[in-house]
Amino acid sequence: MKPFIAWKEKLNNVLFAHPIRKDVTRIAWPVLAEMLLGSLFSMIDMMMLGRMADTAAAAASVAAVGITNQPLFIGLALVQSLNVGGTALVSRFIGANQPHKVENTVKHVILLNLFLFAIPLSLLGILFTDQIMTVMGAYKDTIDMGRLYFKIIMLGFIFQALNFSLAACLRGAGDTRLPMKINLAVNFLNVIGNAVLIYGLFGFPKLGIIGAGISTSLSHLLACLILFSYIFKGKSIVSLSLSPFQFHKDTIYNLGRIGVPASLEQISLRLGIVLFARIVASLGTVTFAAHQICLSILGLSFNPGQAFGIAASALVGQSLGAGKPGKAQQYASETRKIGSVVSSFIAMIFFLFGPQIVRLYTHDPEIITNAALALKVIALVQPFQSSQLILAGGLRGAGDTLWPLLSTFVGIMGVRILLSYIFVVLLCLGLVGAWMAVFMDQLVRWALVYVRFQKGKWKYVALG
């Protein structure tokens, strides 16, 4: 008991004694907990599909989820482009002690996302399912297995987009606990719903991948209803009312000025990932299933960088709003240090225990061998990936979204796609070759973002 108490006190001193670290940890840990557990829930969902009795159906279902995720992530990337602007503006207004401007900004973000992206993209996905899945590189067995799942997920995309928008604004205000509590509770219910509908428990029909789609979309709807309920009742630092609303040119201009580069960044990222997925899909359904398992596991080590990047974005924005650029620099630097330590620890686990982790998904020895080897490369990616995600988050919080766009475009389109084609198609290095290309992509992106951050020009971006 005494060693545990001593360890706990030491951890508290490291994370909470220093005021900068205390602020970083206060904002980052709820996001990190939400993302890590959300990824675990997502992993469990894929494990359920991968462990269905019919191995051919299981492999096709896992591949179908991966194929569906690619256009879904493109849609979410467009939504997130406006959310980046929302986070930056809300954090500036909170830092400048101008809370009256926050509600108006939140309404702009919600309405623009809903009518520009969420509804139109959902309709496109539902109407052109087969064509989109074919473009993603799906084989006939994957399309047949995942067609209805794709349509159901795209319907739920509307509510998922609204959740993302509200959460981004809340995080800009420094409220990371409310999105965490709601999303964790709803994701837990989603896991139960998936088990019930995939396997047909408690008298429910055995729906397989369709059951997973129904449970997931209903979870997005439930989260949306709860989140709006809290905000309209004034239970959060960000509140909404039914007061008259008018679009403001300045707000739209600033959202666009920040959001357009962020949007182009996300589009180039997602298109690059789609092209990357097509190259990997050429290796066959079994190898592509192994690739999807790797991506699912990658979500865990990806999360610290994302979580601490969100913390950096909020704290940098609030510091600049308060006219304290030096403090903004301290926040970004300290956030990068803590996030890198966490991600490196998770990467070590992946490197040492890859086969054991992959066996949680599948019994197929070929998938286990391919995925476990690729995980060793993924582990090497983590320090660079985490650092660039956090520094890019700080730049976005300052409203400097052009440089993250440049680094992403060069990294994924100029490095990952070219090298993955060379390694996979020309040199026949298989799945490991594909992930070697990812390593080089992240290394280049880290170098570009780090140089921009060190120059410090982001401290002087003006937002009205």
Side-chain angles (χ1 to χ4, degrees):
M1 189 68 180
K2 287 183 178 180
F4 173 76
I5 294 174
W7 176 85
K8 184 178 179 182
E9 289 177 353
K10 186 176 181 180
L11 182 64
N12 285 335
N13 287 334
V14 170
L15 294 180
F16 300 108
H18 193 285
I20 294 292
R21 286 196 206 114
K22 183 178 180 180
D23 287 342
V24 170
T25 307
R26 174 179 56 83
I27 292 181
W29 83 257
V31 183
L32 180 58
E34 177 188 348
M35 288 182 168
L36 284 174
L37 291 176
S39 292
L40 281 172
F41 290 146
S42 178
M43 290 167 69
I44 292 169
D45 293 346
M46 195 170 286
M47 290 173 195
M48 291 178 187
L49 292 172
R51 296 173 73 89
M52 291 191 298
D54 186 336
T55 55
S61 295
V62 170
V65 171
I67 289 291
T68 301
N69 282 342
Q70 297 311 316
L72 177 66
F73 289 160
I74 291 175
L76 289 174
L78 292 171
V79 170
Q80 288 291 68
S81 66
L82 274 176
N83 293 346
V84 168
T87 298
L89 288 177
V90 168
S91 64
R92 283 287 182 104
F93 295 145
I94 293 293
N97 197 25
Q98 297 176 322
H100 58 284
K101 294 184 177 181
V102 172
E103 180 177 350
N104 180 267
T105 300
V106 175
K107 287 181 177 179
H108 275 79
V109 173
I110 291 172
L111 291 175
L112 288 171
N113 265 328
L114 188 62
F115 292 106
L116 287 180
F117 299 131
I119 294 176
L121 292 176
S122 178
L123 289 175
L124 282 174
I126 292 170
L127 294 174
F128 300 101
T129 300
D130 284 23
Q131 295 89 330
I132 294 173
M133 293 186 76
T134 300
V135 170
M136 295 298 110
Y139 291 97
K140 186 178 184 303
D141 60 340
T142 303
I143 295 174
D144 291 340
M145 182 64 66
R147 181 181 293 111
L148 187 53
Y149 171 82
F150 189 103
K151 293 179 184 293
I152 295 169
I153 290 296
M154 290 309 299
L155 181 62
F157 168 72
I158 295 174
F159 307 107
Q160 189 177 9
L162 289 174
N163 294 336
F164 272 45
S165 296
L166 287 174
C169 293
L170 286 167
R171 289 166 181 155
D175 184 357
T176 54
R177 294 195 178 199
L178 179 59
M180 176 195 70
K181 292 177 181 178
I182 293 174
N183 284 324
L184 289 185
V186 170
N187 276 327
F188 178 73
L189 293 175
N190 179 37
V191 168
I192 296 174
N194 278 346
V196 169
L197 295 179
I198 288 172
Y199 298 124
L201 306 178
F202 309 116
F204 283 86
K206 186 177 181 180
L207 299 177
I209 190 174
I210 296 172
I214 293 172
S215 177
T216 299
S217 290
L218 287 177
S219 73
H220 293 320
L221 172 60
L222 180 60
C224 187
L225 293 175
I226 297 173
L227 203 49
F228 268 104
S229 173
Y230 266 84
I231 290 177
F232 272 107
K233 289 179 181 178
K235 294 183 178 180
S236 169
I237 191 170
V238 172
S239 61
L240 290 176
S241 66
L242 297 177
S243 59
F245 169 76
Q246 289 183 337
F247 281 106
H248 291 168
K249 289 189 300 182
D250 289 344
T251 303
I252 295 174
Y253 170 76
N254 281 308
L255 286 174
R257 187 164 64 121
I258 299 170
V260 168
S263 172
L264 293 174
E265 177 195 352
Q266 291 299 318
I267 290 171
S268 64
L269 174 65
R270 292 305 165 186
L271 286 178
I273 289 175
V274 168
L275 294 174
F276 179 63
R278 283 186 62 86
I279 292 172
V280 178
S282 68
L283 296 170
T285 299
V286 172
T287 303
F288 191 69
H291 177 63
Q292 293 307 318
I293 289 172
C294 286
L295 288 174
S296 176
I297 298 170
L298 176 68
L300 278 179
S301 57
F302 195 76
N303 286 331
Q306 287 186 309
F308 284 98
I310 288 170
S313 185
L315 291 168
V316 165
Q318 290 177 20
S319 298
L320 294 178
K324 299 177 179 178
K327 194 172 185 180
Q329 172 110 23
Q330 285 183 288
Y331 275 131
S333 298
E334 196 63 40
T335 304
R336 182 173 67 90
K337 292 177 186 177
I338 300 173
S340 296
V341 170
V342 175
S343 65
S344 296
F345 174 74
I346 296 175
M348 182 177 65
I349 294 175
F350 291 167
F351 191 89
L352 296 176
F353 303 104
Q356 292 86 344
I357 296 172
V358 178
R359 285 193 189 98
L360 297 173
Y361 288 82
T362 180
H363 297 300
D364 189 315
E366 185 179 353
I367 292 178
I368 292 172
T369 300
N370 283 331
L373 192 56
L375 275 178
K376 293 189 181 298
V377 182
I378 292 171
L380 300 177
V381 170
Q382 297 317 304
F384 302 103
Q385 176 179 269
S386 176
S387 182
Q388 71 91 0
L389 284 170
I390 293 168
L391 293 180
L395 293 177
R396 293 186 190 102
D400 184 1
T401 52
L402 184 59
W403 207 258
L405 161 63
L406 176 63
S407 67
T408 298
F409 185 82
V410 171
I412 197 163
M413 300 301 288
V415 176
R416 183 186 298 197
I417 301 305
L418 177 61
L419 290 183
S420 62
Y421 181 81
I422 293 172
F423 293 159
V424 174
V425 179
L426 300 183
L427 299 180
C428 300
L429 296 179
L431 190 58
V432 171
W435 284 97
M436 286 168 58
V438 174
F439 173 79
M440 295 304 300
D441 160 29
Q442 291 293 345
L443 181 62
V444 169
R445 276 199 258 176
W446 167 79
L448 291 173
V449 171
Y450 182 78
V451 168
R452 177 63 175 182
F453 178 79
Q454 289 298 105
K455 287 185 176 180
K457 293 182 179 180
W458 51 272
K459 298 176 187 176
Y460 310 105
V461 176
L463 297 177

